[in-house]
Amino acid sequence: MAPYLLGLRLDGRRVLVVGGGHVAQRRVPTLLDAGASVTLVSPSVTPALDDLIADGRVTWERRPYQVGDCDGAWLVHACTNHREVNTAIAAEADAKRIWCVRADDKDASAAWTPASGRVDEVSVAITAGGDPRRAAGIRDAVVGALRDGTVDARRHRTKPVGVALVGGGPGDPGLITVRGRQLLAQADVVVADRLAPRALLDELPADVELIDAAKIPYGRALAQDKINELLIEHARKGKFVVRLKGGDSFVFGRGGEEMIACAKAGIPVTVVPGITSAVAVPASAGVPVTHRGVSQEFHVISVHVAPDDPRSTVDWPGLARSQGTLVLLMGVERIGQLARTLIRDGRSPETPVMVVQDGTLPTQRAVIATLSTVAERVTAAGIRPPAIVIVGEVVRVGQEIEMVRAERVP
């Protein structure tokens, strides 16, 4: 029998996901995007899921599944690696009249997760008799036609070779380039960063190997040498590998190191530039990094080490004397020390500062302060990475823009 297709509005409703592997990693971000209240039951989770848990977006029960976990759920995803466990989960859900999606057996599953995509206000969901690869191919064709006005399925084009370094943009999946999406759709293997647009990963066909290369600040991380080895290893097997990063691969993204490693191994590399968060996030918050008569320069600084760390190569006194905009990446954990350093070296304590968390995403929020108050404000607001710090008079320009907008609202 053909399935009855239905769009579920999950906002605020409890969804149970059992299993913390790569299948769950694909599905949880999509459930969160739909507004679901996700409970994850698993003894362990992938680094990417760990990051969502640390962010407070997912409730993690750190244990195996047990009877009663389905209570109160509107939808259940059985994503463990053990068939008998998935069978037990599905049986409990069925007894309680809760729809359950089994990741391991389409024929035994009461519901299927369609291959889905979204272009502006149009959502596309395809089922193809439970064949995920076929459904993804049809979905790609429809989404591609909606996006660029054609009906050519990207899978029919000549397959690329080697490695593609794709900048995924600042977070919003709509801000990746068309070329980046095209190559991602043709990938055999995707090596994804923590800051790569998560919603794009759920669009990958089921046969694409997803490798989690998350680098969680002060947490788990896959060593860069290991990432280089994985790119080369899979490319040498004849697979097309996409290295998907947040922002741009060459803006504090170690893309240069990966390109050198591939070149030494004789692996061809395609580079697809991405929109860096250093510019996109201030823009999304209504702050221009340059503005006539205010700032004719801006500086992008990585603060992965403190100003007084011997490894720091940043000219902090020079930046403090500059009248340009400062865009600080990876600076939230050291915001107090950064502010004190800039004030000590000459910047006014009243210099405006904006800190933007989750820039370009639905969860984006911002704090406005001065150099003398920013540490206190950030702590009080509970701002955490990923966040961008903007220092300079352009923050006032952003406030002026917001005031004008507010006055224009009828």
Side-chain angles (χ1 to χ4, degrees):
M1 299 291 292
Y4 180 78
L5 299 184
L6 185 69
L8 297 181
R9 304 180 68 180
L10 296 174
D11 190 22
R13 290 177 166 84
R14 182 174 183 264
V15 175
L16 173 68
V17 178
V18 185
H22 291 301
V23 174
Q25 180 180 314
R26 291 170 185 254
R27 294 185 180 177
V28 167
T30 304
L31 292 168
L32 292 175
D33 288 345
S37 175
V38 177
T39 298
L40 181 65
V41 174
S42 180
S44 61
V45 296
T46 66
L49 286 170
D50 201 6
D51 188 51
L52 291 175
I53 293 163
D55 198 31
R57 302 183 67 195
V58 176
T59 300
W60 182 20
E61 299 287 343
R62 193 170 187 168
R63 55 172 174 77
Y65 159 79
Q66 60 190 29
V67 175
D69 282 339
C70 293
D71 289 343
W74 292 72
L75 177 66
V76 175
H77 284 263
C79 305
T80 77
N81 294 325
H82 305 286
R83 182 178 179 83
E84 65 275 14
V85 176
N86 291 338
T87 299
I89 297 166
E92 181 189 354
D94 191 56
K96 295 175 178 177
R97 298 187 177 183
I98 302 169
W99 291 106
C100 178
V101 181
R102 286 187 60 164
D104 62 333
D105 190 335
K106 69 180 181 66
D107 295 321
S109 184
W112 294 337
T113 300
S116 61
R118 185 176 178 85
V119 180
D120 297 325
E121 74 282 0
V122 179
S123 295
V124 176
I126 305 292
T127 62
D131 183 342
R133 184 172 183 177
R134 184 183 178 200
I138 297 171
R139 183 273 319 279
D140 284 351
V142 176
V143 169
L146 289 169
R147 181 173 295 117
D148 57 26
T150 70
V151 292
D152 180 33
R154 294 180 300 234
R155 295 175 179 279
H156 296 166
R157 298 175 182 173
T158 302
K159 182 180 175 181
V161 296
V163 172
L165 303 180
V166 176
D172 181 341
L175 295 178
I176 190 174
T177 63
V178 173
R179 180 60 172 158
R181 274 189 176 269
Q182 289 173 346
L183 293 182
L184 190 61
Q186 294 173 293
D188 299 309
V189 178
V190 174
V191 182
D193 271 3
R194 178 179 71 97
L195 297 180
R198 295 187 180 115
L200 295 177
L201 302 180
D202 193 57
E203 295 182 10
L204 297 175
D207 60 328
V208 174
E209 182 176 353
L210 175 61
I211 297 175
D212 186 356
K215 290 185 174 71
I216 300 175
Y218 314 105
R220 292 193 285 179
L222 188 62
Q224 186 60 50
D225 287 345
K226 181 61 177 177
I227 294 173
N228 297 346
E229 291 174 8
L230 289 168
L231 298 178
I232 295 167
E233 174 189 339
H234 287 287
R236 280 178 169 166
K237 292 178 181 178
K239 297 181 178 181
F240 176 52
V241 183
V242 168
R243 175 71 169 109
L244 182 64
K245 297 169 173 285
D248 180 88
S249 300
F250 291 167
V251 180
F252 305 123
R254 296 195 173 183
E257 297 176 42
E258 292 164 356
M259 196 170 188
I260 290 171
C262 289
K264 288 181 177 179
I267 303 297
V269 177
T270 301
V271 177
V272 180
I275 301 174
T276 174
S277 60
V279 174
V281 170
S284 71
V287 176
V289 292
T290 62
H291 191 76
R292 187 172 60 172
V294 177
S295 175
Q296 61 182 14
E297 61 180 317
F298 70 97
H299 307 265
V300 181
I301 305 101
S302 167
V303 199
H304 65 283
V305 293
D308 60 355
D309 192 298
R311 295 171 294 171
S312 176
T313 60
V314 178
D315 179 9
W316 289 102
L319 291 174
R321 291 191 302 269
S322 166
Q323 297 302 307
T325 305
L326 307 184
V327 181
L328 310 177
L329 311 184
M330 297 174 278
V332 171
E333 296 291 337
R334 302 182 180 87
I335 190 65
Q337 185 176 1
L338 295 174
R340 291 190 296 272
T341 298
L342 289 170
I343 293 172
R344 180 199 67 195
D345 291 336
R347 281 264 177 157
S348 168
E350 299 307 310
T351 302
V353 181
M354 177 182 281
V355 183
V356 185
Q357 177 182 325
D358 293 341
T360 77
L361 297 174
T363 53
Q364 174 177 312
R365 61 191 183 115
V367 169
I368 297 176
T370 64
L371 279 177
S372 62
T373 63
V374 65
E376 179 183 349
R377 294 279 181 86
V378 164
T379 300
I383 298 292
R384 66 182 301 277
I388 302 293
V389 181
I390 310 156
V391 180
E393 294 300 320
V394 292
V395 173
R396 298 195 203 278
V397 176
Q399 290 178 286
E400 180 183 350
I401 292 170
E402 190 59 34
M403 289 176 62
V404 172
R405 284 175 172 173
E407 291 173 356
R408 301 282 293 183
V409 175

